[in-house]
Amino acid sequence: MLDRHRPLHFIGVGGIGMSALAAILAERGFNVTGSDPRDGAVMDQLRRRGVRVFRQQNASTVDAICSGTSMAPLVVTSTAVPQSNPELQQAVRMGLQVVHRSDLLAALIDAQPSIAVAGSHGKTTTSSLVATLLQATHQDPTAVIGGIVPAFGSNGRVGKGRLLVAEADESDGSLVKFHPQLAILTNLELDHTDHYPNLEALVATLQRFAAGAGQLLANRDCPVLRDQFKADHWWSITSPEAVAFAAIPRQEQGDGTLADWYENGQLIGQIELPLPGRHNLSNAAAAIAACRLESVSFADLSQAIASLQTPCRRFDYRGNWHGRQVVDDYAHHPSEVAATLAMARLMVTSGRSSLPLVPLRLVAVFQPHRYSRTAEFLTAFAAALSAADAVLLAPLYAAGEAPIAGIDSQALAAAIRNLDRQLTVEVCDSLDALAEQLARSSKPGDLVLAMGAGDVNYLWPRLQALLTANSSIENNSPIANNNSIANYSPIASNSSITNNNPEKYNSPIINSDLIANDSSVKYSSGDRINNSVNGNSAADELSTAYGSSSPHGSSQVNENSCGEAAAA
């Protein structure tokens, strides 16, 4: 499929998955073009890496590409590109070969020893951590990730080492095309109900993916994986028994976790993970295990672990707004919301925080994403959000889906109130109204968690606009993060957290996968790409990796602090 003499054209090149492939192939010497009506940092980076970018998506773009080459281009699309796209239609009329982005990624995976990470939650974080650890230990990997990796400043990296690290998205089932040397399964539970009618269908797809891999490394703490899969290697964060690798927490604080590292039941040493939360510990355990299977020394890894960071839009600190710390997170499944809130609560109770300040209270700002997902998990979302001290709901983000009667943010609010009538729950009819309500109902010391896969990441610039417009908002700075906040936190700063805080502060367990779940789910839906970029879809490529030129247009992608975009 890949011929250096054959041009490649990406329809919707700004997508988080498409842009990574385009950049890697351009750096490897391929003639790469792409089209996307959105502009922003991702397009600038693609241009710098040798990609010719067209702002218009129409038949003449394809004509222009074909007229400038003696060999017909290979046209690359994604699940986000509808059949009505004018470029796609023209390519078909001209008899050009059209492939899905997963076909291209499969070709890259087949071309060299590869590690592919799949699962319902934690794919982006785990694949980012694998690639980061391999780079830090001088393995120089190539990486194709569904999010911006802080160590690389990009979602795609060309390395000279033997390994390729890829994120394998299950949302549309295309990952069955991948045949990596090592497959990693983080966890599994029902999601993407627009594609999978039930959990059994999802399990069957992942079993096909696992069967196509050379070896399988899987999370034994996940009951679905434990019962439905036969792994060559297991990892756990709950017990070192019957697993190849285990990271057993000794101290869990709001600024990280100290854990004992076991291999085949033997204590090897300790790891100091600078990422709080058990979901992050599980993701890191998978990454360390993958590196150990590649014979990277534990001594080298233990040093590299100290500098690990999660990818952008995964508990992403946006800034301090009048004493309120604002964090953006991609959590859009109940287990992800529960895990994110549990990690944030640990910052409150431990008096230690990975953020600049120790928060005193948690304000959950949540934007339901897709009618189908909200309908399927309405009660579970309510249970997860009830762990916050206050809840603000944005309008449901449809991602192109048709409405379902009785399913909206008001219905979710009612479900939350049924569980906890003392909890403050407010529903806003727009992001502007949400920002204004947050200004009225929040207070200094709050940690504002803006969660969702739609455009809720645009809450931060709206708050900044309010800051300029209204200088009378109370601005008392909360306490500094000096690890000694006993006067403000229910648990002293030097205590080991063993989940003994009051029941209200315990995140509800949506299922027994929670310890393995992550708030780092790859872009899973958004606007289809056509002339106006609107519609529905499935995988990560619907959103640009860096953002759009217009923060307010509903047909645009939405930029965040990492230069990433939410799935529109």
Side-chain angles (χ1 to χ4, degrees):
M1 178 186 298
L2 289 175
D3 181 342
R4 290 186 187 276
H5 301 291
R6 187 179 192 182
L8 295 157
H9 179 67
F10 289 76
I11 302 176
V13 71
I16 191 69
M18 297 280 270
S19 59
L21 290 170
I24 287 171
L25 290 168
E27 284 197 23
R28 287 184 171 181
F30 287 82
N31 179 4
V32 180
T33 60
S35 64
D36 207 302
R38 303 160 292 189
D39 205 4
V42 67
M43 300 306 176
D44 293 338
Q45 187 176 98
L46 286 172
R47 293 183 185 102
R48 287 195 299 271
R49 297 173 83 166
V51 179
R52 182 185 177 192
V53 177
F54 294 83
R55 290 292 305 280
Q56 299 297 320
Q57 286 192 336
N58 49 46
S60 62
T61 299
V62 178
D63 294 336
I65 295 166
C66 291
S67 65
T69 177
S70 60
M71 191 173 186
L74 179 69
V75 177
V76 185
T77 67
S78 73
T79 308
V81 180
Q83 293 300 312
S84 59
N85 182 280
E87 281 190 21
L88 178 57
Q89 291 181 335
Q90 179 68 356
V92 172
R93 279 193 295 268
M94 296 177 67
L96 302 180
Q97 184 182 1
V98 178
V99 299
H100 190 270
R101 66 168 290 272
S102 58
D103 297 309
L104 212 56
L105 180 55
L108 291 178
I109 288 173
D110 288 343
Q112 66 186 103
S114 299
I115 299 172
V117 183
S120 295
H121 315 293
K123 294 181 296 292
T124 304
T125 295
T126 302
S127 54
S128 295
L129 298 183
V130 172
T132 300
L133 287 175
L134 289 173
Q135 170 62 12
T137 54
H138 313 293
Q139 306 302 307
D140 198 15
T142 295
V144 187
I145 312 295
I148 306 302
V149 183
F152 309 151
S154 174
N155 54 339
R157 179 184 190 277
V158 176
K160 296 181 180 179
R162 62 182 291 272
L163 288 171
L164 179 143
V165 180
E167 179 175 351
D169 175 36
E170 82 287 358
S171 65
D172 59 2
S174 61
L175 82 171
V176 298
K177 302 173 185 177
F178 306 152
H179 303 289
Q181 171 182 288
L182 176 67
I184 300 176
L185 289 182
T186 58
N187 45 66
L188 207 57
E189 64 176 323
L190 183 61
D191 196 7
H192 307 296
T193 53
D194 57 316
H195 183 79
Y196 298 101
N198 49 47
L199 179 61
E200 289 73 23
L202 177 60
V203 168
T205 297
L206 271 294
Q207 285 175 335
R208 287 182 60 192
F209 165 71
Q215 294 189 78
L216 175 62
L217 170 64
N219 177 12
R220 193 169 176 80
D221 298 328
C222 171
V224 175
L225 294 182
R226 188 171 61 243
D227 295 342
Q228 301 292 331
F229 290 78
K230 294 182 179 180
D232 298 281
H233 314 278
W234 294 99
W235 86 83
S236 172
I237 64 167
T238 61
S239 171
E241 303 298 324
V243 296
F245 306 97
I248 307 302
R250 293 173 58 91
Q251 255 191 357
E252 299 177 65
Q253 305 283 6
D255 57 355
T257 300
L258 175 67
D260 290 330
W261 181 256
Y262 291 84
E263 295 184 0
N264 297 313
Q266 299 297 312
L267 179 63
I268 302 300
Q270 288 189 338
I271 58 173
E272 295 185 32
L273 183 67
L275 311 174
R278 288 204 164 194
H279 59 294
N280 279 324
L281 179 61
S282 184
N283 295 332
I288 297 166
C291 292
R292 292 290 290 136
L293 290 173
E294 283 296 320
S295 301
V296 180
S297 76
F298 179 75
D300 288 344
L301 288 169
S302 61
Q303 291 184 5
I305 290 165
S307 60
L308 286 179
Q309 294 176 271
T310 54
C312 294
R313 285 219 73 193
R314 278 67 181 173
F315 213 81
D316 179 22
Y317 177 68
R318 301 301 305 273
N320 187 310
W321 186 83
H322 285 291
R324 292 94 161 149
Q325 294 184 102
V326 180
V327 166
D328 175 45
D329 196 278
Y330 198 66
H332 57 278
H333 183 281
S335 293
E336 299 157 13
V337 172
T340 301
L341 285 170
M343 178 173 64
R345 181 62 67 187
L346 189 57
M347 296 178 185
V348 175
T349 57
S350 70
R352 297 172 64 166
S353 174
S354 59
L355 300 173
L357 304 169
V358 174
L360 304 179
R361 201 173 70 122
L362 303 182
V363 177
V365 175
F366 182 66
Q367 182 182 53
H369 188 262
R370 288 184 173 270
Y371 288 99
S372 58
R373 180 182 284 122
T374 306
E376 180 73 28
F377 302 118
L378 187 71
T379 302
F381 274 125
L385 289 165
S386 66
D389 297 308
V391 178
L392 277 72
L393 298 177
L396 188 149
Y397 197 92
E401 287 189 340
I404 297 176
I407 299 299
D408 55 18
S409 294
Q410 291 288 356
L412 178 55
I416 298 170
R417 294 183 185 115
N418 285 338
L419 292 177
D420 188 347
R421 298 192 178 278
Q422 303 303 312
L423 182 64
T424 299
V425 183
E426 297 168 300
V427 181
C428 302
D429 60 8
S430 69
L431 287 184
D432 288 329
L434 182 68
E436 293 168 1
Q437 181 58 46
L438 183 63
R440 290 190 293 268
S441 60
S442 65
K443 55 188 178 183
D446 284 351
L447 169 53
V448 178
L449 279 168
M451 296 177 287
D455 58 0
V456 71
N457 57 332
Y458 259 110
L459 175 63
W460 175 246
R462 283 169 168 80
L463 287 174
Q464 289 180 304
L466 285 180
L467 176 65
T468 303
N470 186 353
S471 60
S472 64
I473 299 172
E474 183 184 1
N475 188 15
N476 296 326
S477 179
I479 52 178
N481 183 9
N482 59 7
N483 294 339
S484 59
I485 320 298
N487 291 336
Y488 294 89
S489 299
I491 299 179
S493 61
N494 61 355
S495 61
S496 178
I497 308 304
T498 56
N499 204 24
N500 59 358
N501 45 314
E503 182 178 355
K504 167 66 180 176
Y505 295 157
N506 290 332
S507 178
I509 303 299
I510 302 304
N511 61 31
S512 54
D513 272 4
L514 181 58
I515 56 172
N517 290 346
D518 185 17
S519 57
S520 59
V521 176
K522 184 169 63 173
Y523 300 90
S524 60
S525 57
D527 287 343
R528 289 190 184 275
I529 299 172
N530 56 24
N531 275 356
S532 59
V533 197
N534 52 25
N536 152 333
S537 193
D540 52 338
E541 40 283 2
L542 8 167
S543 57
T544 62
Y546 295 90
S548 72
S549 57
S550 169
H552 303 296
S554 61
S555 64
Q556 300 291 333
V557 204
N558 307 301
E559 191 173 10
N560 80 350
S561 62
C562 300
E564 271 187 296

